Structure formats: structure tokens, C-alpha cells
Amino acid sequence: MARSEIKAAAGEAIEPADRMLQILTHSARLFATKGFDGTSMRDIAEACGISKSLLYHHFTDKDEIYARIALGSTQRLCEFVQDRLPEGASPPDRVRAFMTATGDYFQRYRSNWIASTAAFWSDPEQRRRKERMMWRDRYEGLIRQLIQDAIDAGDFRPVDVPLTGRLVLSSLNWMHRWYKPEKGMTPAQIADAYFDLIFNGLKAR
């Protein structure tokens, strides 16, 4: 339960920052399950247990909420993955850590992932779009650098680094279209299996 929800349950006043977090959290869940068009400001207000006027006090419209979720999710993903790269590990292990950390992030923040994926290219506000692209490029640049490090160390054969990076990210980014939490492996385990398939191949040893 989020800090804001705990305060609300206890009858305590919710601080503006907590209220913003509450709104963004509930909005992400609604956008992920009902889609942008299927979610109204009334739906968001009811999910948060607040009035529409209070909701409009914090956000101009639904588009602003959607854009904030997309930007925040992209930034947090990059920081989350970078923080989980093991220092001193071999280059291939750092590539594996990048992939499994991405799977772990997806599992923890699935609603934000799904909402932000759908919203990535739709924000009409240029400044927010440029900032989101900056974080996306930083995340993609990270996996490319890790792959290049593994090549330089002689662990991977020389390959087209941008192409390989796109293969890695494509395998991870589309997980939300088919993944079912109640079936089989966790997202981190799936990412680990992808690592083995991509970098060790299908050919029998």
C-alpha cells in the first residue's frame, strides 16, 4: 500500500506530494487496464477517493497525467537498471544484469510500464517529449556500451552493436503484450532465458 493510501486509511491529511503520487499510481493502473480513451478524469478521481475539482487542482487534464506517468517511468527504468549493474562483474554478467533488472522493473511497476509504452510517442508537449527521449536514449546507450565492453574483452564476437542492442530491447519491451503473472517464469527469469538465447544461441554445443 502506498504511503498516501496508508495516511488516508488512518484519516490523516495527505501532503501535496503524496497526493500527486496517489493520483499518478491510480491513474497508471486505470490506463493500463482501461486504456487512455477508456479512462476519464471522473474515473481517476473516484479511484483516488477525491473530488474532480481537487484532481484538477493538481493536473490540468488527463493528457498531463498520462505524460507525467510516461516520463517518470522512462526515467525510473533507466535509474533502476543502472543501480543494479554489479561492479567488478564480467562484461557478459553485466549485460545479463541489465536484462534481468529490466524484467524486475517490469514486474514491480507493470502498470506504469504498460501505460508509458502506449503513451511514449503521443505527448504533444515538446519539452516533455525531448526529456523522455533523453532518458530512453540513455537507457538504450547503456545496453550498447555493455555489449561493446563484452566485445572489447573478447567475451562476445564482433557484432553490430546498435542492431544487437535493439534485439535485446525488443525482446524485453514486448513482454507486456503476452506476459501472464500467474503462468510460468517471472519477468526476470524470462529476461535471463532471453540472455541465454541471444548470446549463447540455439545451436547445440
Side-chain angles (χ1 to χ4, degrees), residues 4-193:
S4 56
E5 293 172 315
I6 293 173
K7 285 188 174 183
E12 298 179 28
I14 298 178
E15 300 170 3
D18 288 337
R19 180 66 76 191
M20 295 276 280
L21 177 61
Q22 179 196 33
I23 293 169
L24 292 172
T25 299
H26 284 293
S27 297
R29 291 172 185 160
L30 288 169
F31 290 142
T33 55
K34 300 178 65 174
F36 178 80
D37 292 333
T39 301
S40 67
M41 290 292 273
R42 180 182 299 277
D43 292 332
I44 296 170
E46 288 178 353
C48 296
I50 61 176
S51 65
K52 284 181 65 177
S53 60
L54 181 56
L55 179 58
Y56 279 110
H57 174 73
H58 290 286
F59 294 98
T60 303
D61 52 27
K62 185 172 66 171
D63 293 274
E64 183 185 0
I65 298 174
Y66 206 47
R68 285 284 297 276
I69 291 169
L71 173 58
S73 182
T74 306
Q75 178 179 348
R76 284 196 301 273
L77 170 61
C78 184
E79 294 171 340
F80 183 94
V81 170
Q82 184 137 25
D83 288 345
R84 284 157 179 78
L85 296 180
E87 294 291 338
S90 69
D93 283 343
R94 284 170 62 82
V95 173
R96 185 191 296 271
F98 175 99
M99 296 179 68
T100 56
T102 297
D104 189 23
Y105 179 89
F106 168 73
Q107 183 173 23
R108 295 187 190 204
Y109 307 106
R110 189 179 180 206
S111 294
N112 294 66
W113 179 296
I114 294 172
S116 65
T117 298
F120 197 89
W121 301 105
S122 61
D123 187 359
E125 216 288 322
Q126 186 175 10
R127 181 188 61 79
R128 285 193 303 245
R129 191 165 61 246
K130 287 177 65 176
E131 187 174 358
R132 193 160 66 247
M133 289 294 291
M134 178 197 75
W135 284 105
R136 194 284 307 269
D137 290 346
R138 186 175 298 185
Y139 173 69
E140 185 171 344
L142 179 57
I143 185 57
R144 291 186 182 186
Q145 184 59 58
L146 294 172
I147 292 168
Q148 185 63 59
D149 290 344
I151 294 171
D152 294 342
D155 294 310
F156 292 169
R157 64 183 176 85
V159 293
D160 184 313
V161 172
L163 186 66
T164 307
R166 284 192 289 272
L167 174 61
V168 170
L169 296 182
S170 295
S171 70
L172 299 170
N173 289 342
W174 285 96
M175 204 174 347
H176 72 278
R177 298 295 295 270
W178 57 265
Y179 175 72
K180 302 295 183 184
E182 67 277 7
K183 294 183 179 180
M185 299 184 289
T186 67
Q189 290 171 331
I190 293 169
D192 190 64

